Short mmCIF file of all heavy atoms in Angstrom, two decimals:
data_model
loop_
_atom_site.label_atom_id
_atom_site.label_comp_id
_atom_site.label_asym_id
_atom_site.label_seq_id
_atom_site.Cartn_x
_atom_site.Cartn_y
_atom_site.Cartn_z
N GLU A 1 17.33 31.53 -26.09
CA GLU A 1 17.40 30.14 -25.87
C GLU A 1 16.71 29.84 -24.52
O GLU A 1 16.99 30.51 -23.51
CB GLU A 1 18.87 29.71 -25.83
CG GLU A 1 18.99 28.18 -25.57
CD GLU A 1 20.51 27.84 -25.62
OE1 GLU A 1 21.23 28.34 -26.45
OE2 GLU A 1 20.87 27.03 -24.77
N ARG A 2 15.82 28.87 -24.49
CA ARG A 2 15.11 28.51 -23.33
C ARG A 2 15.89 27.48 -22.48
O ARG A 2 16.44 26.52 -23.01
CB ARG A 2 13.74 27.92 -23.64
CG ARG A 2 12.75 28.98 -24.01
CD ARG A 2 11.46 28.37 -24.46
NE ARG A 2 10.81 27.69 -23.31
CZ ARG A 2 9.64 27.08 -23.45
NH1 ARG A 2 9.02 27.11 -24.61
NH2 ARG A 2 9.07 26.48 -22.44
N THR A 3 15.92 27.71 -21.26
CA THR A 3 16.61 26.81 -20.34
C THR A 3 15.56 26.14 -19.44
O THR A 3 14.73 26.82 -18.85
CB THR A 3 17.63 27.50 -19.46
OG1 THR A 3 18.49 28.23 -20.28
CG2 THR A 3 18.46 26.53 -18.65
N ARG A 4 15.57 24.86 -19.44
CA ARG A 4 14.62 24.12 -18.63
C ARG A 4 15.26 23.82 -17.28
O ARG A 4 16.41 23.45 -17.16
CB ARG A 4 14.25 22.79 -19.20
CG ARG A 4 13.34 22.89 -20.39
CD ARG A 4 12.94 21.53 -20.81
NE ARG A 4 11.92 21.62 -21.86
CZ ARG A 4 11.40 20.58 -22.48
NH1 ARG A 4 11.77 19.38 -22.14
NH2 ARG A 4 10.56 20.78 -23.45
N SER A 5 14.50 24.09 -16.23
CA SER A 5 15.02 23.80 -14.92
C SER A 5 14.53 22.37 -14.60
O SER A 5 13.40 22.03 -14.77
CB SER A 5 14.55 24.79 -13.89
OG SER A 5 13.14 24.68 -13.74
N ARG A 6 15.44 21.57 -14.15
CA ARG A 6 15.12 20.19 -13.80
C ARG A 6 15.19 20.02 -12.33
O ARG A 6 16.12 20.49 -11.70
CB ARG A 6 16.11 19.23 -14.47
CG ARG A 6 15.96 19.15 -15.94
CD ARG A 6 16.85 18.05 -16.44
NE ARG A 6 16.80 18.06 -17.91
CZ ARG A 6 17.23 17.09 -18.67
NH1 ARG A 6 17.79 16.07 -18.11
NH2 ARG A 6 17.16 17.16 -19.98
N LYS A 7 14.14 19.38 -11.79
CA LYS A 7 14.19 19.09 -10.33
C LYS A 7 15.06 17.82 -10.13
O LYS A 7 14.98 16.92 -10.91
CB LYS A 7 12.77 18.85 -9.85
CG LYS A 7 11.95 20.04 -9.67
CD LYS A 7 10.67 19.70 -9.01
CE LYS A 7 9.90 20.96 -8.62
NZ LYS A 7 8.66 20.57 -7.91
N LYS A 8 15.76 17.93 -9.08
CA LYS A 8 16.60 16.77 -8.70
C LYS A 8 15.69 15.72 -8.09
O LYS A 8 14.87 16.01 -7.27
CB LYS A 8 17.71 17.18 -7.74
CG LYS A 8 18.67 16.06 -7.41
CD LYS A 8 19.74 16.55 -6.53
CE LYS A 8 20.69 15.43 -6.22
NZ LYS A 8 21.70 15.75 -5.26
N MET A 9 15.87 14.48 -8.59
CA MET A 9 15.00 13.39 -8.08
C MET A 9 15.45 13.10 -6.61
O MET A 9 16.63 12.91 -6.37
CB MET A 9 15.21 12.13 -8.90
CG MET A 9 14.25 11.05 -8.57
SD MET A 9 14.46 9.54 -9.57
CE MET A 9 14.44 10.17 -11.25
N THR A 10 14.49 12.95 -5.71
CA THR A 10 14.80 12.62 -4.38
C THR A 10 15.26 11.20 -4.25
O THR A 10 14.92 10.37 -5.07
CB THR A 10 13.61 12.85 -3.42
OG1 THR A 10 12.58 12.01 -3.75
CG2 THR A 10 13.12 14.33 -3.43
N ASN A 11 16.01 10.89 -3.25
CA ASN A 11 16.46 9.56 -3.00
C ASN A 11 15.27 8.57 -2.83
O ASN A 11 15.32 7.48 -3.28
CB ASN A 11 17.41 9.45 -1.75
CG ASN A 11 18.11 8.11 -1.71
OD1 ASN A 11 18.61 7.63 -2.71
ND2 ASN A 11 18.16 7.61 -0.52
N SER A 12 14.26 9.03 -2.14
CA SER A 12 13.14 8.16 -1.85
C SER A 12 12.38 7.85 -3.18
O SER A 12 11.98 6.72 -3.40
CB SER A 12 12.11 8.81 -0.93
OG SER A 12 11.60 10.04 -1.45
N THR A 13 12.29 8.78 -4.13
CA THR A 13 11.72 8.51 -5.39
C THR A 13 12.56 7.56 -6.22
O THR A 13 12.08 6.62 -6.83
CB THR A 13 11.51 9.88 -6.15
OG1 THR A 13 10.70 10.74 -5.38
CG2 THR A 13 10.82 9.63 -7.54
N ARG A 14 13.83 7.76 -6.18
CA ARG A 14 14.79 6.93 -6.86
C ARG A 14 14.65 5.49 -6.35
O ARG A 14 14.63 4.52 -7.13
CB ARG A 14 16.18 7.45 -6.77
CG ARG A 14 17.20 6.54 -7.51
CD ARG A 14 18.62 7.12 -7.51
NE ARG A 14 18.65 8.28 -8.42
CZ ARG A 14 18.89 9.56 -8.10
NH1 ARG A 14 19.15 9.86 -6.85
NH2 ARG A 14 18.92 10.50 -9.00
N GLN A 15 14.57 5.31 -5.02
CA GLN A 15 14.43 4.01 -4.45
C GLN A 15 13.21 3.30 -4.92
O GLN A 15 13.19 2.12 -5.26
CB GLN A 15 14.36 4.11 -2.88
CG GLN A 15 15.62 4.51 -2.25
CD GLN A 15 16.53 3.30 -1.97
OE1 GLN A 15 16.45 2.27 -2.64
NE2 GLN A 15 17.44 3.44 -1.06
N GLN A 16 12.05 4.06 -4.99
CA GLN A 16 10.84 3.48 -5.41
C GLN A 16 10.93 3.04 -6.91
O GLN A 16 10.42 1.96 -7.25
CB GLN A 16 9.64 4.44 -5.23
CG GLN A 16 9.35 4.68 -3.71
CD GLN A 16 8.21 5.58 -3.51
OE1 GLN A 16 7.32 5.75 -4.27
NE2 GLN A 16 8.29 6.36 -2.39
N ILE A 17 11.53 3.89 -7.75
CA ILE A 17 11.59 3.53 -9.16
C ILE A 17 12.49 2.32 -9.35
O ILE A 17 12.15 1.44 -10.10
CB ILE A 17 12.15 4.77 -9.95
CG1 ILE A 17 11.05 5.85 -9.99
CG2 ILE A 17 12.52 4.35 -11.35
CD1 ILE A 17 11.54 7.16 -10.54
N GLU A 18 13.66 2.29 -8.69
CA GLU A 18 14.55 1.16 -8.79
C GLU A 18 13.88 -0.12 -8.26
O GLU A 18 14.03 -1.21 -8.78
CB GLU A 18 15.85 1.45 -8.05
CG GLU A 18 16.73 2.42 -8.81
CD GLU A 18 18.01 2.72 -7.99
OE1 GLU A 18 18.30 2.12 -6.94
OE2 GLU A 18 18.76 3.61 -8.46
N GLY A 19 13.10 0.07 -7.18
CA GLY A 19 12.33 -1.10 -6.65
C GLY A 19 11.33 -1.64 -7.64
O GLY A 19 11.16 -2.89 -7.85
N ASP A 20 10.67 -0.74 -8.37
CA ASP A 20 9.66 -1.17 -9.44
C ASP A 20 10.45 -1.95 -10.54
O ASP A 20 9.99 -2.95 -11.02
CB ASP A 20 9.00 0.08 -10.05
CG ASP A 20 7.87 0.58 -9.20
OD1 ASP A 20 7.30 -0.22 -8.39
OD2 ASP A 20 7.57 1.81 -9.33
N LEU A 21 11.60 -1.46 -10.90
CA LEU A 21 12.40 -2.12 -11.96
C LEU A 21 12.81 -3.46 -11.52
O LEU A 21 12.70 -4.46 -12.28
CB LEU A 21 13.65 -1.29 -12.31
CG LEU A 21 13.33 0.01 -13.07
CD1 LEU A 21 14.63 0.82 -13.30
CD2 LEU A 21 12.71 -0.27 -14.44
N HIS A 22 13.32 -3.63 -10.28
CA HIS A 22 13.75 -4.94 -9.78
C HIS A 22 12.52 -5.89 -9.64
O HIS A 22 12.61 -7.05 -10.03
CB HIS A 22 14.39 -4.82 -8.39
CG HIS A 22 15.74 -4.31 -8.42
ND1 HIS A 22 16.79 -5.05 -9.05
CD2 HIS A 22 16.32 -3.20 -7.92
CE1 HIS A 22 17.91 -4.35 -8.91
NE2 HIS A 22 17.67 -3.21 -8.27
N ASP A 23 11.39 -5.35 -9.27
CA ASP A 23 10.17 -6.12 -9.18
C ASP A 23 9.81 -6.68 -10.58
O ASP A 23 9.50 -7.87 -10.73
CB ASP A 23 9.05 -5.29 -8.60
CG ASP A 23 7.79 -6.09 -8.19
OD1 ASP A 23 7.87 -7.33 -8.21
OD2 ASP A 23 6.83 -5.45 -7.83
N ALA A 24 9.84 -5.81 -11.60
CA ALA A 24 9.49 -6.24 -12.94
C ALA A 24 10.46 -7.21 -13.50
O ALA A 24 10.08 -8.22 -14.17
CB ALA A 24 9.45 -4.99 -13.81
N LYS A 25 11.81 -6.95 -13.24
CA LYS A 25 12.79 -7.94 -13.72
C LYS A 25 12.62 -9.25 -13.05
O LYS A 25 12.75 -10.36 -13.71
CB LYS A 25 14.20 -7.40 -13.43
CG LYS A 25 14.69 -6.40 -14.44
CD LYS A 25 16.03 -5.76 -14.09
CE LYS A 25 17.08 -6.68 -13.57
NZ LYS A 25 18.33 -5.99 -13.19
N GLY A 26 12.32 -9.25 -11.74
CA GLY A 26 12.15 -10.49 -10.99
C GLY A 26 10.93 -11.28 -11.54
O GLY A 26 10.97 -12.52 -11.71
N THR A 27 9.82 -10.57 -11.83
CA THR A 27 8.68 -11.20 -12.41
C THR A 27 8.95 -11.85 -13.72
O THR A 27 8.56 -12.96 -14.00
CB THR A 27 7.52 -10.22 -12.56
OG1 THR A 27 7.22 -9.63 -11.32
CG2 THR A 27 6.27 -10.78 -13.14
N ALA A 28 9.73 -11.16 -14.56
CA ALA A 28 10.13 -11.72 -15.89
C ALA A 28 11.04 -12.95 -15.74
O ALA A 28 10.83 -13.93 -16.39
CB ALA A 28 10.81 -10.67 -16.75
N LYS A 29 12.02 -12.88 -14.88
CA LYS A 29 12.90 -13.98 -14.62
C LYS A 29 12.14 -15.21 -14.11
O LYS A 29 12.39 -16.33 -14.47
CB LYS A 29 14.03 -13.65 -13.64
CG LYS A 29 15.09 -12.80 -14.25
CD LYS A 29 16.19 -12.53 -13.18
CE LYS A 29 17.29 -11.66 -13.78
NZ LYS A 29 18.31 -11.42 -12.74
N GLU A 30 11.23 -14.95 -13.14
CA GLU A 30 10.42 -16.03 -12.55
C GLU A 30 9.60 -16.69 -13.68
O GLU A 30 9.56 -17.94 -13.76
CB GLU A 30 9.55 -15.45 -11.48
CG GLU A 30 8.79 -16.58 -10.70
CD GLU A 30 8.04 -15.94 -9.54
OE1 GLU A 30 7.82 -14.79 -9.47
OE2 GLU A 30 7.55 -16.80 -8.74
N ALA A 31 8.95 -15.94 -14.53
CA ALA A 31 8.12 -16.47 -15.61
C ALA A 31 9.00 -17.28 -16.60
O ALA A 31 8.60 -18.36 -17.04
CB ALA A 31 7.40 -15.29 -16.30
N GLU A 32 10.12 -16.70 -16.92
CA GLU A 32 11.04 -17.38 -17.84
C GLU A 32 11.53 -18.73 -17.21
O GLU A 32 11.55 -19.78 -17.90
CB GLU A 32 12.22 -16.51 -18.17
CG GLU A 32 13.15 -17.12 -19.23
CD GLU A 32 14.35 -16.29 -19.60
OE1 GLU A 32 14.34 -15.05 -19.21
OE2 GLU A 32 15.24 -16.82 -20.28
N GLY A 33 11.82 -18.72 -15.94
CA GLY A 33 12.29 -19.89 -15.24
C GLY A 33 11.16 -21.02 -15.26
O GLY A 33 11.45 -22.19 -15.51
N LYS A 34 9.93 -20.56 -15.07
CA LYS A 34 8.84 -21.54 -15.11
C LYS A 34 8.68 -22.13 -16.50
O LYS A 34 8.43 -23.28 -16.66
CB LYS A 34 7.51 -20.82 -14.63
CG LYS A 34 7.39 -20.62 -13.12
CD LYS A 34 6.06 -19.99 -12.81
CE LYS A 34 6.02 -19.71 -11.32
NZ LYS A 34 4.78 -18.98 -10.90
N LEU A 35 8.70 -21.21 -17.45
CA LEU A 35 8.45 -21.61 -18.86
C LEU A 35 9.54 -22.57 -19.31
O LEU A 35 9.27 -23.49 -20.04
CB LEU A 35 8.51 -20.36 -19.78
CG LEU A 35 8.11 -20.50 -21.20
CD1 LEU A 35 6.65 -20.93 -21.32
CD2 LEU A 35 8.31 -19.21 -21.93
N ASN A 36 10.77 -22.34 -18.92
CA ASN A 36 11.88 -23.13 -19.37
C ASN A 36 12.28 -24.29 -18.37
O ASN A 36 13.30 -24.95 -18.56
CB ASN A 36 13.14 -22.32 -19.59
CG ASN A 36 12.95 -21.41 -20.79
OD1 ASN A 36 12.42 -21.77 -21.79
ND2 ASN A 36 13.43 -20.13 -20.64
N HIS A 37 11.42 -24.46 -17.32
CA HIS A 37 11.64 -25.47 -16.34
C HIS A 37 13.00 -25.33 -15.73
O HIS A 37 13.81 -26.31 -15.60
CB HIS A 37 11.43 -26.89 -16.91
CG HIS A 37 10.11 -27.06 -17.51
ND1 HIS A 37 8.95 -27.16 -16.82
CD2 HIS A 37 9.75 -27.18 -18.82
CE1 HIS A 37 7.95 -27.31 -17.63
NE2 HIS A 37 8.34 -27.32 -18.87
N ASP A 38 13.35 -24.09 -15.36
CA ASP A 38 14.67 -23.73 -14.77
C ASP A 38 14.43 -23.22 -13.32
O ASP A 38 14.16 -22.06 -13.16
CB ASP A 38 15.37 -22.69 -15.63
CG ASP A 38 16.78 -22.37 -15.13
OD1 ASP A 38 17.13 -22.71 -13.98
OD2 ASP A 38 17.47 -21.72 -15.94
N PRO A 39 14.50 -24.18 -12.38
CA PRO A 39 14.22 -23.75 -10.99
C PRO A 39 15.16 -22.68 -10.45
O PRO A 39 14.76 -21.89 -9.61
CB PRO A 39 14.28 -25.04 -10.21
CG PRO A 39 14.95 -26.04 -11.04
CD PRO A 39 14.84 -25.56 -12.46
N ASP A 40 16.39 -22.73 -10.88
CA ASP A 40 17.40 -21.66 -10.42
C ASP A 40 16.99 -20.29 -10.88
O ASP A 40 17.03 -19.35 -10.09
CB ASP A 40 18.80 -22.05 -10.90
CG ASP A 40 19.35 -23.28 -10.22
OD1 ASP A 40 18.89 -23.63 -9.11
OD2 ASP A 40 20.27 -23.88 -10.87
N LEU A 41 16.59 -20.15 -12.12
CA LEU A 41 16.20 -18.82 -12.67
C LEU A 41 14.91 -18.41 -12.02
O LEU A 41 14.72 -17.22 -11.73
CB LEU A 41 16.04 -18.89 -14.14
CG LEU A 41 15.75 -17.61 -14.90
CD1 LEU A 41 16.86 -16.58 -14.58
CD2 LEU A 41 15.58 -17.81 -16.38
N GLU A 42 14.04 -19.38 -11.78
CA GLU A 42 12.74 -19.05 -11.12
C GLU A 42 12.99 -18.49 -9.71
O GLU A 42 12.43 -17.53 -9.28
CB GLU A 42 11.87 -20.28 -11.07
CG GLU A 42 10.44 -20.06 -10.69
CD GLU A 42 9.61 -21.38 -10.78
OE1 GLU A 42 10.03 -22.33 -11.49
OE2 GLU A 42 8.64 -21.40 -10.13
N ALA A 43 13.91 -19.15 -8.99
CA ALA A 43 14.21 -18.72 -7.63
C ALA A 43 14.92 -17.37 -7.67
O ALA A 43 14.63 -16.50 -6.79
CB ALA A 43 15.11 -19.74 -6.96
N GLU A 44 15.80 -17.13 -8.63
CA GLU A 44 16.47 -15.87 -8.77
C GLU A 44 15.45 -14.76 -9.01
O GLU A 44 15.60 -13.68 -8.44
CB GLU A 44 17.48 -15.94 -9.90
CG GLU A 44 18.30 -14.73 -10.07
CD GLU A 44 19.23 -14.86 -11.28
OE1 GLU A 44 19.72 -15.95 -11.59
OE2 GLU A 44 19.56 -13.76 -11.87
N GLY A 45 14.43 -15.07 -9.81
CA GLY A 45 13.40 -14.09 -10.13
C GLY A 45 12.61 -13.75 -8.85
O GLY A 45 12.27 -12.61 -8.58
N ARG A 46 12.24 -14.76 -8.08
CA ARG A 46 11.50 -14.58 -6.84
C ARG A 46 12.32 -13.71 -5.87
O ARG A 46 11.79 -12.74 -5.23
CB ARG A 46 11.13 -15.84 -6.14
CG ARG A 46 9.87 -16.49 -6.72
CD ARG A 46 9.36 -17.54 -5.80
NE ARG A 46 10.26 -18.65 -5.59
CZ ARG A 46 10.37 -19.72 -6.35
NH1 ARG A 46 9.58 -19.85 -7.46
NH2 ARG A 46 11.27 -20.64 -6.04
N THR A 47 13.61 -13.97 -5.77
CA THR A 47 14.49 -13.18 -4.84
C THR A 47 14.56 -11.71 -5.34
O THR A 47 14.47 -10.82 -4.50
CB THR A 47 15.95 -13.83 -4.87
OG1 THR A 47 15.82 -15.16 -4.43
CG2 THR A 47 16.80 -13.05 -4.01
N GLU A 48 14.71 -11.54 -6.62
CA GLU A 48 14.79 -10.13 -7.16
C GLU A 48 13.46 -9.41 -6.98
O GLU A 48 13.45 -8.16 -6.65
CB GLU A 48 15.20 -10.15 -8.63
CG GLU A 48 15.54 -8.78 -9.11
CD GLU A 48 16.44 -8.74 -10.37
OE1 GLU A 48 16.82 -9.82 -10.85
OE2 GLU A 48 16.72 -7.62 -10.83
N LYS A 49 12.35 -10.14 -7.07
CA LYS A 49 11.04 -9.50 -6.85
C LYS A 49 10.94 -9.02 -5.41
O LYS A 49 10.48 -7.94 -5.13
CB LYS A 49 9.94 -10.54 -7.14
CG LYS A 49 9.00 -10.10 -8.21
CD LYS A 49 8.07 -11.22 -8.72
CE LYS A 49 7.13 -11.77 -7.69
NZ LYS A 49 6.14 -12.68 -8.22
N VAL A 50 11.29 -9.89 -4.50
CA VAL A 50 11.20 -9.54 -3.08
C VAL A 50 12.16 -8.32 -2.80
O VAL A 50 11.78 -7.41 -2.04
CB VAL A 50 11.59 -10.74 -2.16
CG1 VAL A 50 11.75 -10.28 -0.73
CG2 VAL A 50 10.50 -11.81 -2.26
N ALA A 51 13.35 -8.39 -3.35
CA ALA A 51 14.27 -7.25 -3.14
C ALA A 51 13.67 -5.96 -3.68
O ALA A 51 13.84 -4.87 -3.03
CB ALA A 51 15.62 -7.55 -3.82
N GLY A 52 13.01 -6.03 -4.82
CA GLY A 52 12.35 -4.84 -5.36
C GLY A 52 11.29 -4.32 -4.48
O GLY A 52 11.12 -3.07 -4.27
N LYS A 53 10.46 -5.23 -3.90
CA LYS A 53 9.40 -4.78 -3.03
C LYS A 53 9.95 -4.14 -1.76
O LYS A 53 9.41 -3.10 -1.31
CB LYS A 53 8.49 -5.96 -2.74
CG LYS A 53 7.66 -6.45 -3.90
CD LYS A 53 6.81 -7.60 -3.60
CE LYS A 53 6.05 -7.98 -4.91
NZ LYS A 53 5.04 -8.93 -4.70
N VAL A 54 11.02 -4.72 -1.25
CA VAL A 54 11.68 -4.09 -0.06
C VAL A 54 12.17 -2.71 -0.43
O VAL A 54 11.98 -1.75 0.39
CB VAL A 54 12.78 -5.06 0.44
CG1 VAL A 54 13.59 -4.33 1.52
CG2 VAL A 54 12.19 -6.32 1.04
N GLN A 55 12.82 -2.60 -1.55
CA GLN A 55 13.39 -1.30 -1.92
C GLN A 55 12.31 -0.24 -2.09
O GLN A 55 12.46 0.93 -1.70
CB GLN A 55 14.21 -1.44 -3.24
CG GLN A 55 15.02 -0.25 -3.54
CD GLN A 55 16.02 -0.52 -4.72
OE1 GLN A 55 15.83 -1.49 -5.44
NE2 GLN A 55 16.99 0.30 -4.82
N LYS A 56 11.17 -0.61 -2.68
CA LYS A 56 10.01 0.30 -2.83
C LYS A 56 9.49 0.74 -1.46
O LYS A 56 9.21 1.91 -1.21
CB LYS A 56 8.87 -0.38 -3.59
CG LYS A 56 9.10 -0.40 -5.07
CD LYS A 56 7.81 -0.75 -5.84
CE LYS A 56 7.37 -2.21 -5.60
NZ LYS A 56 6.31 -2.61 -6.46
N LYS A 57 9.42 -0.20 -0.55
CA LYS A 57 8.97 0.08 0.80
C LYS A 57 9.93 1.07 1.51
O LYS A 57 9.48 1.99 2.21
CB LYS A 57 8.75 -1.16 1.65
CG LYS A 57 7.65 -2.05 1.21
CD LYS A 57 6.32 -1.42 1.50
CE LYS A 57 5.26 -2.45 1.09
NZ LYS A 57 3.90 -1.91 1.15
N LEU A 58 11.25 0.86 1.34
CA LEU A 58 12.20 1.77 1.89
C LEU A 58 12.06 3.13 1.32
O LEU A 58 12.19 4.12 2.09
CB LEU A 58 13.65 1.27 1.65
CG LEU A 58 14.07 0.09 2.49
CD1 LEU A 58 15.43 -0.41 1.98
CD2 LEU A 58 14.17 0.48 3.94
N GLY A 59 11.82 3.26 0.08
CA GLY A 59 11.62 4.59 -0.56
C GLY A 59 10.40 5.24 0.03
O GLY A 59 10.42 6.44 0.35
N LYS A 60 9.31 4.53 0.25
CA LYS A 60 8.11 5.13 0.82
C LYS A 60 8.35 5.53 2.27
O LYS A 60 7.92 6.61 2.70
CB LYS A 60 6.96 4.10 0.79
CG LYS A 60 6.42 3.88 -0.65
CD LYS A 60 5.31 2.89 -0.67
CE LYS A 60 4.77 2.67 -2.08
NZ LYS A 60 3.69 1.71 -2.12
N LEU A 61 9.10 4.71 2.99
CA LEU A 61 9.45 5.05 4.38
C LEU A 61 10.31 6.31 4.45
O LEU A 61 10.07 7.18 5.29
CB LEU A 61 10.16 3.85 5.07
CG LEU A 61 10.56 4.03 6.53
CD1 LEU A 61 9.31 4.23 7.38
CD2 LEU A 61 11.34 2.82 7.00
N GLU A 62 11.28 6.41 3.51
CA GLU A 62 12.13 7.58 3.54
C GLU A 62 11.28 8.83 3.25
O GLU A 62 11.52 9.92 3.78
CB GLU A 62 13.20 7.43 2.45
CG GLU A 62 14.37 6.55 2.84
CD GLU A 62 15.49 6.46 1.79
OE1 GLU A 62 15.37 7.17 0.75
OE2 GLU A 62 16.44 5.73 2.05
N LYS A 63 10.33 8.68 2.37
CA LYS A 63 9.52 9.83 2.04
C LYS A 63 8.69 10.26 3.21
O LYS A 63 8.51 11.46 3.51
CB LYS A 63 8.58 9.47 0.83
CG LYS A 63 7.81 10.69 0.29
CD LYS A 63 7.07 10.29 -0.97
CE LYS A 63 8.02 10.60 -2.10
NZ LYS A 63 7.46 10.31 -3.44
N LEU A 64 8.15 9.28 3.99
CA LEU A 64 7.37 9.53 5.16
C LEU A 64 8.18 10.24 6.28
O LEU A 64 7.68 11.25 6.89
CB LEU A 64 6.79 8.24 5.76
CG LEU A 64 5.55 7.74 5.15
CD1 LEU A 64 5.21 6.39 5.74
CD2 LEU A 64 4.41 8.71 5.38
N ILE A 65 9.39 9.84 6.46
CA ILE A 65 10.18 10.43 7.56
C ILE A 65 10.99 11.66 7.05
O ILE A 65 11.63 12.35 7.83
CB ILE A 65 11.11 9.46 8.23
CG1 ILE A 65 12.15 8.84 7.24
CG2 ILE A 65 10.37 8.37 8.92
CD1 ILE A 65 13.18 7.93 7.93
N GLY A 66 10.85 11.92 5.75
CA GLY A 66 11.38 13.14 5.19
C GLY A 66 12.92 13.15 4.96
O GLY A 66 13.53 14.19 5.11
N LYS A 67 13.45 12.00 4.62
CA LYS A 67 14.86 11.89 4.39
C LYS A 67 15.19 12.37 3.00
O LYS A 67 14.53 12.19 2.06
CB LYS A 67 15.32 10.44 4.54
CG LYS A 67 16.30 10.31 5.59
CD LYS A 67 16.85 8.87 5.66
CE LYS A 67 18.05 8.90 6.56
NZ LYS A 67 18.67 7.60 6.61
#
């Protein structure tokens, strides 16, 4: 039986992936808010997009400083 060794994902990589997901969700919410003329949903999408971008930058920073 073959056993695969899995590398543990670093925190910085996880931060970047989660940031990408938040960015994508925010983009979708913002578009849905515009389409449905829902300013609250549009604002929520923009906020989530910004949070995703910040999270991605934190992941990159962690990778640079070697955390």
Side-chain angles (χ1 to χ4, degrees):
E1 182 177 319
R2 283 176 65 178
T3 307
R4 287 187 174 177
S5 65
R6 292 185 185 196
K7 284 188 172 181
K8 187 177 178 185
M9 188 182 308
T10 63
N11 191 44
S12 60
T13 303
R14 180 173 286 119
Q15 289 276 23
Q16 289 180 33
I17 291 170
E18 288 178 5
D20 282 334
L21 290 174
H22 283 296
D23 192 6
K25 278 174 45 182
T27 300
K29 283 182 181 181
E30 187 177 10
E32 185 180 348
K34 284 181 183 177
L35 189 65
N36 293 320
H37 306 288
D38 184 344
D40 291 336
L41 186 58
E42 194 175 336
E44 185 181 330
R46 276 195 301 273
T47 302
E48 190 158 358
K49 239 169 65 171
V50 169
K53 289 179 183 190
V54 169
Q55 192 170 16
K56 282 193 291 188
K57 293 287 184 189
L58 283 173
K60 288 180 182 179
L61 182 62
E62 282 182 3
K63 189 172 269 183
L64 277 174
I65 60 175
K67 244 187 166 180

